[in-house]
Amino acid sequence: MLRATVLSEGCRMARVGSAAMSAAIFTLMATTALRADVTADQVWQAWSKQYTAYGYQVAVGDSARSGDTLTQRDVRLTHQAEGSDFSMTIPELHLRELGDGTVEVTVAEKISAEANSAVEGQTPLQMAIDITQANAVTIVSGTPDQLSYHVTAPEMVIDMDQTTAGGQTEVPVKVWMSLSGIDGTYQVTSSGGQHESSDVAVAGLKMTASGADPETNGTFNMDASLVNLKMRSDVTMPEDADLENLGAALAKGLRMDASGTYGATTFTVDASAEEGPTGLSGGAQSGSFSMTLAPEGMKYTATGEGATIEAKTAQVPVPLSATLDRADFELSFPLKGSDAPQPFTGRIGLDGLGLSDQVWKMVDAQGLLPHDPATLVVDLAGTARPTMDLFSPEAAQAQMPPVEVNSLEVKRLQLTLAGADLSGQGAVTFDNSQGTPMPLGAVDLKLAGANKLMDSLVKMGMMPQDQVMFARMMLGLYAIPAGDDLMTSKIEFKEGGKILANGQQIQ
């Protein structure tokens, strides 16, 4: 297999300055028309203020005014964080007053940037970035304290070339990305901090990546594409807030909301190593995501529809493929220290996971198992009390998790696979007064088709008979028959740490 260092180091560098670069690009390329006059100088001053709010240092090589146009040359934006730095150079930036109270902004066709990472204990990395675009136009309107942008760009191409610092090539990674059909709006209100909102559509996104590891002669190549990407965001940045100190920024009132949808996606990955070549390919019909980060808590959700994946390896002579009708994920959790419990949620769902006939022939040549699609759902909710702000320095240094779980509800538990079906639900509360959480409550479980599945596994030679006997003995202890190959179990948590299964104490 290709060494994990190739991908992990590549991912690390891809993150270097990513937030900073994103802010810079979308500000440059970022409208609804607020009917008020704004000048080119006011737009530039507002931008400089906005960059500074995000931790940038702004330097201009030359500034010139000619008639209705302000030209800034050799604009350099730099951003430093612990263990990394990012810089972007814009050869020319033109701000032209259109005479109707709006300003047209165009930038040089090619913009260069550089990111460096020097984290202690890890290989120093350097990434050179080239951003190329043509005919991109931004119209700015409004007032200096309430600017609105409308951007249109036929295509933007980003080239990233990573090497180790000093020109070495121990973990070279190259990434190429093209965004086409960009059309979006971006509004910034400056009053007691900054409030920003955006609504951007990208008709198509294409990406390629490649890397190599000279120590193992392993290489990888990846191609990916996506269409109909739509993203919205809403950010409130309090005055004097610093994103490098996220805990302090949240305490001051930082709030970030983002969401998006996308259409069909495809990807292919080809890797080579001493064990032989490996190939992955697949895609999905559509998907969505959302994220909220606020003083009171965080929430992240993601969904995907109609996913497919196919794998080819040197060890297996035929392609292996699978399909997934739908996948969804949700996680929400309180962040602010509180005296009262706050709600949290957690869910993962995989519906309609089907394997190809080639896969089933490998694991079930005799056709003893049902080949119906599998399902996995874990849906949880509850309450928890952070004993301190979870992004605070105190929380980072805490010896024990600074959170008390007060209650947990199993809204739905289901695993359906090869003819067997395990389901359950229940709820428990936790007594934290003794230091060690003591659960009180019950969970009801139901298991269907287990005996038939175990018999089939024995016939297939995948499960020894003595293991089946032990599994059935355990089921007899903790479950009761409720029908043809159907068993139920009620797990109760009592005072004093007692645990009962169907009324029988097991702890």
Side-chain angles (χ1 to χ4, degrees):
M1 293 292 294
L2 180 63
R3 288 185 58 187
T5 51
V6 174
L7 293 175
S8 63
E9 294 296 329
C11 292
R12 173 159 70 92
M13 274 307 295
R15 291 194 297 268
V16 173
S18 60
M21 183 172 71
S22 298
I25 292 173
F26 280 102
T27 301
L28 287 168
M29 299 286 302
T31 284
T32 61
L34 297 175
R35 279 302 161 195
D37 290 347
V38 63
T39 67
D41 297 274
Q42 290 171 334
V43 170
W44 173 249
Q45 291 169 8
W47 282 11
S48 298
K49 181 180 178 181
Q50 184 179 357
Y51 291 136
T52 302
Y54 276 102
Y56 280 93
Q57 292 182 335
V58 183
V60 179
D62 178 66
S63 180
R65 181 76 186 229
S66 176
D68 57 10
T69 302
L70 173 65
T71 300
Q72 307 284 42
R73 293 184 175 88
D74 297 324
V75 178
R76 184 172 175 83
L77 310 175
T78 58
H79 185 279
Q80 292 184 333
E82 184 178 355
S84 66
D85 63 76
F86 171 83
S87 64
M88 175 182 288
T89 300
I90 307 165
E92 285 192 356
L93 182 91
H94 304 282
L95 300 95
R96 183 169 69 95
E97 297 166 354
L98 298 181
D100 59 356
T102 66
V103 174
E104 177 192 76
V105 181
T106 57
V107 298
E109 184 172 321
K110 187 172 182 178
I111 299 170
S112 60
E114 183 177 294
N116 296 281
S117 172
V119 179
E120 186 177 353
Q122 299 185 25
T123 303
L125 296 177
Q126 183 180 76
M127 179 175 284
I129 305 166
D130 288 325
I131 304 168
T132 305
Q133 56 77 37
N135 303 317
V137 176
T138 299
I139 304 297
V140 188
S141 58
T143 65
D145 291 334
Q146 192 172 4
L147 288 175
S148 185
Y149 310 84
H150 180 204
V151 58
T152 55
E155 184 180 33
M156 176 187 290
V157 176
I158 303 172
D159 264 304
M160 294 179 279
D161 190 358
Q162 173 194 300
T163 62
T164 56
Q168 303 175 51
T169 56
E170 292 180 10
V171 190
V173 174
K174 294 180 180 293
V175 178
W176 175 90
M177 182 182 299
S178 168
L179 295 89
S180 60
I182 302 170
D183 192 334
T185 61
Y186 186 80
Q187 293 85 35
V188 180
T189 301
S190 301
S191 178
Q194 287 195 141
H195 178 261
E196 305 172 11
S197 61
S198 67
D199 189 345
V200 179
V202 179
L205 184 153
K206 296 180 180 179
M207 185 178 74
T208 65
S210 62
D213 187 343
E215 292 185 11
T216 63
N217 295 320
T219 63
F220 78 91
N221 290 278
M222 183 187 75
D223 287 275
S225 68
L226 177 152
V227 299
N228 199 25
L229 173 63
K230 297 180 179 180
M231 299 177 292
R232 293 186 176 185
S233 67
D234 196 271
V235 179
T236 298
M237 178 75 71
E239 197 166 9
D240 298 326
D242 182 3
L243 288 179
E244 298 301 327
N245 189 342
L246 190 56
L250 286 168
K252 291 182 178 182
L254 170 68
R255 184 179 183 91
M256 305 174 70
D257 291 281
S259 62
T261 61
Y262 54 88
T265 65
T266 63
F267 74 90
T268 61
V269 179
D270 293 304
S272 65
E274 293 180 357
E275 297 84 0
T278 299
L280 286 175
S281 63
Q285 294 176 356
S286 62
S288 65
F289 61 89
S290 67
M291 183 276 289
T292 296
L293 180 64
E296 63 272 17
M298 56 79 65
K299 182 175 182 179
Y300 179 78
T301 66
T303 66
E305 306 277 352
T308 62
I309 186 169
E310 182 176 276
K312 300 177 182 179
T313 69
Q315 292 76 23
V316 181
V318 296
L320 307 177
S321 62
T323 60
L324 181 63
D325 292 341
R326 177 180 171 82
D328 65 276
F329 175 84
E330 177 182 317
L331 176 65
S332 67
F333 204 83
L335 298 176
K336 188 174 181 59
S338 173
D339 294 330
Q342 305 295 319
F344 71 85
T345 61
R347 174 185 167 87
I348 183 170
L350 303 175
D351 294 325
L353 175 59
L355 302 178
S356 66
D357 290 339
Q358 292 94 328
V359 177
W360 279 117
K361 287 178 181 178
M362 292 178 61
V363 299
D364 183 24
Q366 304 175 62
L368 299 175
L369 300 175
H371 296 178
D372 300 328
T375 295
L376 170 64
V377 179
V378 180
D379 194 356
L380 308 175
T383 59
R385 185 181 73 85
T387 57
M388 61 186 71
D389 292 354
L390 298 188
F391 277 104
S392 66
E394 294 79 13
Q397 298 173 3
Q399 299 298 314
M400 298 292 290
V403 177
E404 287 183 356
V405 178
N406 302 97
S407 66
L408 176 65
E409 179 187 3
V410 182
K411 300 173 66 175
R412 183 185 175 192
L413 169 65
Q414 183 173 7
L415 174 61
T416 303
L417 177 66
D421 189 339
L422 172 66
S423 60
Q425 60 182 18
V428 295
T429 59
F430 295 89
D431 179 2
N432 294 284
S433 61
Q434 304 301 316
T436 301
M438 300 298 292
L440 298 170
V443 177
D444 293 304
L445 300 172
K446 183 186 296 184
L447 178 60
N451 286 306
K452 184 177 180 180
L453 174 58
M454 287 187 288
D455 289 339
S456 297
L457 292 176
V458 170
K459 292 179 182 179
M460 295 164 60
M462 299 181 66
M463 190 173 186
Q465 185 65 49
D466 58 344
Q467 291 186 12
V468 170
M469 293 177 62
F470 178 76
R472 285 178 172 152
M473 181 182 69
M474 298 302 292
L475 285 174
L477 289 174
Y478 301 124
I480 57 176
D484 184 18
D485 204 0
L486 174 64
M487 308 190 82
T488 63
S489 182
K490 187 179 190 67
I491 308 299
E492 298 177 277
F493 303 90
K494 297 291 188 178
E495 296 280 358
K498 295 180 180 179
I499 302 178
L500 292 84
N502 303 310
Q504 179 181 347
Q505 184 171 336
I506 58 176
Q507 177 175 311

